[in-house]
Amino acid sequence: MAGQADNRAPYAKIAAHYTELITSGQLEPGTLLPSIKNLAEEWKVSTATAEKALRKLRNEGLVRGIHGIGTEVLDQPGPMSSGSQRQDRGRRTGSSWGAGERSDSHQAAVVSAPTEVAQALDIQPGADVIRRSRVYRDRHGIVAHSTSWIPARYGKLIPQLASSERLTGGTSLQLIAEVTGHPISHRIDTASARTLTPEYVELLELNPESPPTEPVVVMTAKFVNSEGNIVEYGVDLGGPGRTWRTESEVTS
């Protein structure tokens, strides 16, 4: 949740600061970042730490080093996030948005569960299920079309789950955990590349007359609570040109 202490290493904090400025458009492509010396003085860190922060930004494809000139901001779409990454972000910050993102087109309804969804939620095909969808965007366009499928029984406990409005008081997973008293214990993620279908073209607001030819990333996530119940199945459809990136610390 918001307000938690930031225990990241200094270089990671510096990199995160500039990642936010770049992906939100506050630093435009072609802008030069401060020099290693100036970064070190501004953040009160060593030059080695400042250089490590810039190297992290280069490794993420956000900037490039130009010999004799400095570090330049690049212009490219940011990566999409998986359902589990959005869950982590929501738990940490209270919002599922990535840096520079916003969401719109929020829709919710109680519908009959398609076969794939029924299998994922371990319910009968055609059983009532809550479908919540929204579109994540940044300055480059659609990052992902995201759909959450939730067993209808949770809608009786939390009526706003079936309302076409942004949720208040937390994410759907947080609200369900609070009401039931059973936190999310684990999640199961998948990622695949899929050919664009007419349905995907419509969801991603593409021109059906000349859709992109490259495949798109589709990510799914099943969230299971401490009682062993599957409380949500998420499907994220990445916009054309979007990739998925994950990062973790490696210790020897």
Side-chain angles (χ1 to χ4, degrees):
M1 298 296 290
Q4 288 185 330
D6 188 343
N7 296 318
R8 290 174 296 181
Y11 84 90
K13 293 180 183 179
I14 297 171
H17 171 75
Y18 282 101
T19 296
E20 167 65 24
L21 294 180
I22 293 169
T23 57
S24 66
Q26 296 179 63
L27 285 181
E28 297 182 352
T31 301
L32 293 179
L33 297 189
S35 66
I36 291 175
K37 178 181 178 182
N38 288 341
L39 273 181
E41 292 176 351
E42 178 183 351
W43 289 81
K44 297 180 173 56
V45 297
S46 68
T47 55
T49 295
E51 198 283 329
K52 190 174 182 181
L54 291 180
R55 185 166 65 248
K56 178 174 170 57
L57 293 172
R58 290 197 301 271
N59 290 341
E60 293 178 352
L62 296 172
V63 302
R64 66 170 179 168
I66 305 176
H67 182 69
I69 297 179
T71 301
E72 180 188 48
V73 174
L74 295 175
D75 184 24
Q76 64 179 33
M80 63 179 291
S81 300
S82 66
S84 56
Q85 287 171 317
R86 293 193 184 280
Q87 181 204 16
D88 289 340
R89 187 182 298 137
R91 184 172 59 244
R92 187 174 65 252
T93 69
S95 172
S96 63
W97 292 346
E101 286 184 358
R102 59 184 174 85
S103 63
D104 58 33
S105 305
H106 290 257
Q107 297 182 8
V110 177
V111 300
S112 297
T115 301
E116 175 191 351
V117 172
Q119 291 175 344
L121 293 175
D122 194 23
I123 60 178
Q124 290 295 318
D128 283 350
V129 64
I130 298 171
R131 180 185 63 205
R132 294 190 56 82
S133 63
R134 80 291 296 168
V135 176
Y136 291 97
R137 307 177 194 268
D138 63 12
R139 63 193 177 92
H140 289 279
I142 291 182
V143 178
H145 182 283
S146 182
T147 304
S148 299
W149 301 88
I150 304 168
R153 64 180 179 275
Y154 295 114
K156 297 177 181 178
L157 300 174
I158 311 167
Q160 69 165 317
L161 289 178
S163 173
S164 296
E165 301 288 343
R166 286 191 60 199
L167 295 175
T168 58
T171 64
S172 55
L173 293 169
Q174 290 171 325
L175 294 172
I176 292 171
E178 290 173 2
V179 169
T180 62
H182 302 304
I184 301 301
S185 61
H186 67 282
R187 62 204 180 201
I188 304 166
D189 298 294
T190 72
S192 61
R194 300 186 190 178
T195 302
L196 274 171
T197 64
E199 178 188 7
Y200 291 170
V201 168
E202 181 180 358
L203 292 177
L204 293 174
E205 302 173 11
L206 301 173
N207 182 356
E209 301 299 324
S210 57
T213 57
E214 69 269 22
V216 292
V217 177
V218 178
M219 310 197 71
T220 72
K222 287 198 296 186
F223 298 91
V224 185
N225 70 10
S226 57
E227 292 286 284
N229 297 317
I230 302 169
V231 302
E232 186 170 313
Y233 174 59
V235 180
D236 285 277
L237 174 63
R242 302 287 176 165
T243 58
W244 172 61
R245 181 179 60 83
T246 184
E247 178 180 336
S248 59
E249 295 292 334
V250 177
T251 58
S252 57

